[in-house]
């Protein structure tokens, strides 16, 4: 049975369904995404709803690389929400879950979570059952604020925090407060994380690091290397070699 990381687009707009370990049965596509080298999870601005047998958890937004400990080895299924989408579904501000893996029972009634966990444990395809749960949470939640997507798009395109605030019609302090609730950290941190992800994707496609740095808004290759090491905890060359 497959043990690699596998992902596919979700029926929930903007989300990704992924599996890692023996539960991976879909074969719908592979990517680096949540897996990272040797189980390392890199910051990406997202939050995930997670299942492993007997447990439902939420992965909060990371400001640094996360390496699963002995109690978090899986196998796993997950739904990765686009940046800013999960707090409305879960009813909790993103900053309260920053750099944490939290049992869903800490956020929702315990009896409900036990029933949901048992249902997903018993499902022939736990990833599909977890996706059904995510779709149900989305249907019950208030509509996603389109402003959040505009913020992410502007920062991902390399616009400054000031330019992003102006583009969405907010003051910089308002943008910071809204970002803490939606993304778990301020827009400057989100911009760094999105830039690192753009740079890694470009470098993995074969673009030399010096050119990658120039095209993604770093001052130079050394700046790129420092930023990746601070966020990922590994040299950029080590990440790319794995």
């Amino acid at each position: 049975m497959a043990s690699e990381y596998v992902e596919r687009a979700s029926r929930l707009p903007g989300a990704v369904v992924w599996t890692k370990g023996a539960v991976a049965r879909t074969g719908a596509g592979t990517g680096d995404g949540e897996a990272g080298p040797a189980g390392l999870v890199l910051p990406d601005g997202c939050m995930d709803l997670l299942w492993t047998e007997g447990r439902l958890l939420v992965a909060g937004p990371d400001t640094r690389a996360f390496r699963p400990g002995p109690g978090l080895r899986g196998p796993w299924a997950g739904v990765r929400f686009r940046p800013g989408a999960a707090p409305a579904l879960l009813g909790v501000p993103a900053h309260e879950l920053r750099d944490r893996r939290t049992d869903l029972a800490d956020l929702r009634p315990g009896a409900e979570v036990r029933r949901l966990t048992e249902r997903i444990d018993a499902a022939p395809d736990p990833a599909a059952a977890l996706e059904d749960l995510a779709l149900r949470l989305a249907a019950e939640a208030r509509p996603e604020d389109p402003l959040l997507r505009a913020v992410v798009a502007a920062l991902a395109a390399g616009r400054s925090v000031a330019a992003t605030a102006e583009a969405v019609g907010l003051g910089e302090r308002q943008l910071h407060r809204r970002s803490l609730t939606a993304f778990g950290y301020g827009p400057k941190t989100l911009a760094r994380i999105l830039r690192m992800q753009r740079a890694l994707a470009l470098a993995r496609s074969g673009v030399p690091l010096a050119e990658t740095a120039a095209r993604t808004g770093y001052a130079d290759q050394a700046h790129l290397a420092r930023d990746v090491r601070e966020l990922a905890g590994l040299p950029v060359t080590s990440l790319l070699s794995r």
Side-chain angles (χ1 to χ4, degrees), residues 31 84 94 119 121 124 153 176 179 182 191:
R119 185 181 307 162
D121 284 350
H176 188 82
S179 295

Side-chain angles (χ1 to χ4, degrees), residues 79-103:
V79 176
R80 185 167 64 246
F81 304 100
R82 64 186 167 203
L89 275 64
L90 300 170
V92 60
H95 65 82
E96 293 187 8
L97 303 177
R98 184 173 53 231
D99 292 318
R100 293 173 55 196
R101 271 57 183 163
T102 303
D103 281 289

Side-chain angles (χ1 to χ4, degrees), residues 60-86:
D62 292 320
T63 59
R64 56 187 181 272
F66 174 84
R67 192 184 298 278
L72 295 173
R73 292 299 187 191
W76 290 99
V79 176
R80 185 167 64 246
F81 304 100
R82 64 186 167 203

Side-chain angles (χ1 to χ4, degrees), residues 1-6 18-27 30 35 39 73-76:
M1 195 173 288
S3 60
E4 71 275 10
Y5 175 87
V6 181
W18 58 267
T19 54
K20 191 174 192 305
V23 73
R25 297 190 282 267
T26 59
T30 59
R73 292 299 187 191
W76 290 99

Side-chain angles (χ1 to χ4, degrees), residues 27 117 156 183 199 235 237:
T117 304
F183 310 121
T237 50

Side-chain angles (χ1 to χ4, degrees), residues 76-163:
W76 290 99
V79 176
R80 185 167 64 246
F81 304 100
R82 64 186 167 203
L89 275 64
L90 300 170
V92 60
H95 65 82
E96 293 187 8
L97 303 177
R98 184 173 53 231
D99 292 318
R100 293 173 55 196
R101 271 57 183 163
T102 303
D103 281 289
L104 187 61
D106 292 338
L107 308 177
R108 299 180 71 90
E112 174 196 4
V113 174
R114 282 193 295 274
R115 288 194 302 271
L116 293 169
T117 304
E118 290 170 1
R119 185 181 307 162
I120 296 172
D121 284 350
D125 185 348
L130 186 69
E131 182 184 21
D132 288 340
L133 171 58
L135 287 163
R136 197 197 85 188
L137 293 175
E140 295 172 352
R142 66 182 184 275
E144 184 182 349
D145 186 349
L147 180 143
L148 301 178
R149 274 185 265 175
V151 169
V152 173
L155 295 175
R159 300 182 78 168
S160 69
V161 171

Side-chain angles (χ1 to χ4, degrees), residues 112-225:
E112 174 196 4
V113 174
R114 282 193 295 274
R115 288 194 302 271
L116 293 169
T117 304
E118 290 170 1
R119 185 181 307 162
I120 296 172
D121 284 350
D125 185 348
L130 186 69
E131 182 184 21
D132 288 340
L133 171 58
L135 287 163
R136 197 197 85 188
L137 293 175
E140 295 172 352
R142 66 182 184 275
E144 184 182 349
D145 186 349
L147 180 143
L148 301 178
R149 274 185 265 175
V151 169
V152 173
L155 295 175
R159 300 182 78 168
S160 69
V161 171
T164 297
E166 183 177 359
V168 300
L170 294 176
E172 289 189 48
R173 289 186 179 180
Q174 288 178 301
L175 176 61
H176 188 82
R177 287 195 297 270
R178 296 281 288 272
S179 295
L180 286 177
T181 298
F183 310 121
Y185 27 64
K188 183 176 288 189
T189 298
L190 178 61
R192 283 184 71 202
I193 288 169
L194 295 176
R195 181 173 61 177
M196 179 190 72
Q197 289 287 345
R198 290 199 314 276
L200 290 175
L202 202 59
R204 285 175 180 139
S205 74
V207 177
L209 286 176
E211 184 180 346
T212 291
R215 288 171 59 178
T216 51
Y218 292 94
D220 51 28
Q221 183 176 333
H223 181 201
L224 164 64

